[in-house]
């Protein structure tokens, strides 16, 4: 079955009670039981909810995974996936991830005796040096937020598996439309569904998709025990969002390429970070591993002052955190999404005070280009 057919039909069975074509929002906390231990598979809504089940089947199918679990946010999904490690285990964390992912390791997990090292996962010779006998996980974001570095998922999976470690990939920036990490050997995929999967900037959510049954049972146990579940209303919204994922991603990609090309030629722009540009250091890998480049573009303006001018002069693009919605959003990683990352790490990665990130929306591209042009001037 093709991607769009799966997106529209997986999990989206007509409602057994009424025939409703759109999966209803089962806004209930509990379910009537016929007798002791006799029920329809639903006992309590933290544990199971039919709207959430539909979404879990849907996104799992899109990622090519046997199991999927929906969470209340991308961060709670990432946190649940990291409960596969125990105190005393070692994790290799990509050195450029969403600031919140770094913060989870640096401010919380480390106090639960989870050891971690930051590594540039795009450099395989470098990555290899970080493995220790107790390394249980490699956590990779590709392309990274916000400097768009691309990691070879097949090579990292092979390296990790040979050393007894599993690989988690945060696939938020590409969505399963452009990149399916499990096909490249990755063990666990995580998402912030807040972004492209939902696509309309009106819901916070997260997802974990995987194939290993034992790990899936543990994630199910964590989901129920901790209880950071996606609400029925949010499950409905994301389920509606994924139906148009393919058409939206094509539009984001088309506009993203044009915005990147425009910025690359602009005299006020010093550098553009976009894997779709031939000048990107991992352009060839991105072409192989992804079926598109998407709508995330970052660029260097040279100083905080220049960045501030751009961010405060845009009229169509909205200054704000987040990404992946139909509307273009513009942000300042150093003070917004990556404020939790120490200054030295940010400097090393290129998250300078002059760096600006755009989540290119699906408006008419001429309007986006005109807005950026007037803001840069
Ligand atoms: O915000 P939440 O749904 O909890 O997702 C966290 C998250 C996880 N992974 C990636 C790659 C992300 O980009 C995010 C959230 N990012 C932003 C809010 C942002 O503006 O980059």
């Amino acid at each position: 079955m093709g991607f769009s057919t799966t997106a529209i039909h997986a999990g989206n069975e007509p409602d057994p009670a009424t025939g409703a074509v759109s999966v209803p929002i089962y806004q209930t906390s509990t379910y009537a039981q016929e007798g002791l231990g006799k029920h329809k598979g639903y006992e309590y809504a933290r544990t199971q909810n039919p709207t959430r089940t539909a979404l879990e089947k849907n996104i799992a199918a899109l990622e090519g995974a046997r199991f999927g679990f929906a969470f209340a946010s991308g961060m709670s999904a990432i946190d649940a996936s990291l409960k596969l490690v125990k105190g005393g285990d070692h994790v290799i964390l990509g050195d450029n991830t969403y600031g919140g992912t770094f913060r989870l390791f640096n401010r919380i997990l480390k106090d639960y005796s989870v050891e971690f090292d930051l590594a540039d996962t795009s450099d395989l010779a470098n990555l290899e040096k970080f493995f220790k006998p107790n390394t249980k996980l490699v956590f990779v974001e590709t392309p990274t937020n916000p400097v768009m570095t691309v990691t070879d998922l097949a090579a990292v999976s092979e390296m990790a598996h040979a050393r007894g470690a599993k690989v988690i990939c945060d696939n938020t920036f590409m969505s399963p439309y452009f990149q399916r990490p499990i096909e490249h050997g990755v063990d666990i995929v995580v998402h912030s569904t807040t972004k492209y999967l939902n696509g309309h900037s009106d819901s916070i959510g997260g997802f974990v998709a995987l194939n290993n049954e034992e790990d899936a049972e543990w994630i199910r146990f964590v989901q129920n025990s901790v209880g950071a579940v996606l609400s029925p209303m949010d499950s409905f919204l994301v389920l509606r969002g994924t139906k148009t994922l393919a058409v939206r991603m094509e539009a984001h990609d088309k506009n993203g390429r044009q915005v990147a090309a425009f910025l690359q030629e602009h005299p006020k722009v010093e550098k553009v970070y976009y894997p779709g540009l031939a000048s990107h250091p991992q352009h060839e890998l991105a072409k192989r591993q992804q079926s598109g480049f998407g709508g995330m573009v970052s660029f260097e303006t040279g100083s905080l002052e220049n960045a501030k001018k751009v961010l405060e002069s845009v009229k169509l693009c909205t200054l704000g955190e987040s990404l992946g919605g139909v509307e273009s959003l513009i942000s300042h990683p150093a003070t917004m999404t990556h404020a939790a990352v120490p200054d030295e790490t940010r400097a090393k990665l290129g998250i300078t005070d002059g760096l600006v990130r755009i989540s290119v929306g699906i408006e008419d591209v001429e309007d986006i280009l005109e807005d950026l042009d007037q803001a840069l001037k």
Side-chain angles (χ1 to χ4, degrees):
M1 221 189 277
F3 188 92
S4 282
T5 311
T6 304
I8 292 164
H9 292 283
N12 283 300
E13 299 300 327
D15 181 47
T18 63
V21 165
S22 179
V23 175
I25 304 165
Y26 279 91
Q27 194 70 40
T28 186
S29 60
T30 191
Y31 309 87
Q33 305 195 9
E34 290 152 40
L36 269 188
K38 277 214 274 177
H39 53 75
K40 298 184 167 72
Y42 292 93
E43 294 152 274
Y44 185 62
R46 167 161 38 74
T47 318
Q48 315 103 339
N49 178 281
T51 322
R52 198 177 86 215
T53 305
L55 177 69
E56 290 176 337
K57 285 186 185 162
N58 183 259
I59 300 181
L62 295 179
E63 282 292 355
R66 289 171 65 205
F67 307 101
F69 303 94
F71 289 86
S73 65
M75 286 321 305
S76 58
I78 291 171
D79 181 60
S81 74
L82 293 171
K83 295 212 164 71
L84 288 165
V85 297
K86 306 271 181 281
D89 288 346
H90 174 247
V91 181
I92 302 173
L93 173 64
D95 61 359
N96 173 208
T97 57
Y98 168 58
T101 306
F102 170 76
R103 181 175 57 194
L104 180 61
F105 278 90
N106 194 43
R107 297 289 301 278
I108 299 179
L109 289 173
K110 77 163 182 7
D111 291 334
Y112 290 81
S113 310
V114 174
E115 257 187 79
F116 75 98
D117 278 308
L118 297 179
D120 174 358
T121 56
S122 71
D123 177 348
L124 295 170
N126 167 67
L127 176 64
E128 194 166 21
K129 295 184 203 137
F130 285 88
F131 282 88
K132 298 187 191 183
N134 60 338
T135 304
K136 291 286 159 59
L137 276 180
V138 180
F139 189 104
V140 177
E141 218 179 88
T142 181
T144 63
N145 180 358
V147 296
M148 307 302 291
T149 306
V150 179
T151 285
D152 186 334
L153 291 173
V156 168
S157 300
E158 197 179 320
M159 185 185 285
H161 294 162
R163 290 159 181 78
K166 288 181 179 168
V167 179
I168 301 182
C169 175
D170 185 332
N171 199 26
T172 299
F173 268 35
M174 283 293 100
S175 90
Y177 183 66
F178 283 139
Q179 174 170 280
R180 284 174 298 282
I182 289 173
E183 289 176 4
H184 300 288
V186 163
D187 302 280
I188 298 141
V189 176
V190 293
H191 275 285
S192 167
T193 63
T194 312
K195 313 301 189 283
Y196 290 107
L197 287 167
N198 180 55
H200 295 75
S201 307
D202 52 12
S203 157
I204 295 281
F207 205 82
V208 178
L210 72 171
N211 270 335
N212 180 288
E213 194 161 355
E214 202 181 317
D215 289 347
E217 280 317 308
W218 179 245
I219 299 290
R220 191 192 306 285
F221 183 78
V222 170
Q223 185 192 39
N224 184 46
S225 304
V226 178
V229 292
L230 194 65
S231 76
M233 177 71 190
D234 289 287
S235 298
F236 170 85
L237 287 172
V238 183
L239 198 53
R240 186 166 66 160
T242 60
K243 287 176 186 158
T244 56
L245 184 64
V247 286
R248 284 188 288 106
M249 291 314 289
E250 287 291 347
H252 282 293
D253 183 66
K254 194 161 166 252
N255 285 0
R257 290 177 200 230
Q258 289 194 57
V259 167
F262 164 82
L263 290 171
Q264 184 166 249
E265 296 304 317
H266 203 286
K268 295 272 177 71
V269 173
E270 293 182 6
K271 186 172 177 186
V272 181
Y273 299 86
Y274 185 71
L277 292 173
S279 57
H280 187 280
Q282 294 106 23
H283 176 62
E284 289 307 317
L285 169 62
K287 274 205 294 196
R288 232 178 26 243
Q289 183 166 275
Q290 308 165 190
S291 55
F293 304 109
M296 296 305 296
V297 184
S298 297
F299 62 99
E300 180 56 57
T301 63
S303 68
L304 177 61
E305 201 185 318
N306 290 347
K308 200 164 175 303
K309 273 191 209 150
V310 173
L311 293 162
E312 292 177 356
S313 309
V314 286
K315 296 191 176 105
L316 175 69
C317 298
T318 303
L319 172 61
E321 301 214 12
S322 203
L323 59 110
V326 291
E327 59 289 288
S328 293
L329 286 178
I330 195 159
S331 68
H332 187 239
T335 58
M336 295 167 74
T337 50
H338 291 70
V341 179
D343 295 353
E344 327 78 76
T345 315
R346 278 208 308 269
K348 205 181 100 205
L349 294 169
I351 309 175
T352 62
D353 287 349
L355 189 75
V356 171
R357 190 191 76 181
I358 317 175
S359 167
V360 180
I362 62 171
E363 300 97 338
D364 296 296
V365 75
E366 300 74 28
D367 295 327
I368 304 172
L369 297 179
E370 197 182 303
D371 190 34
L372 291 173
D373 196 35
Q374 67 79 25
L376 282 160
K377 277 182 184 142

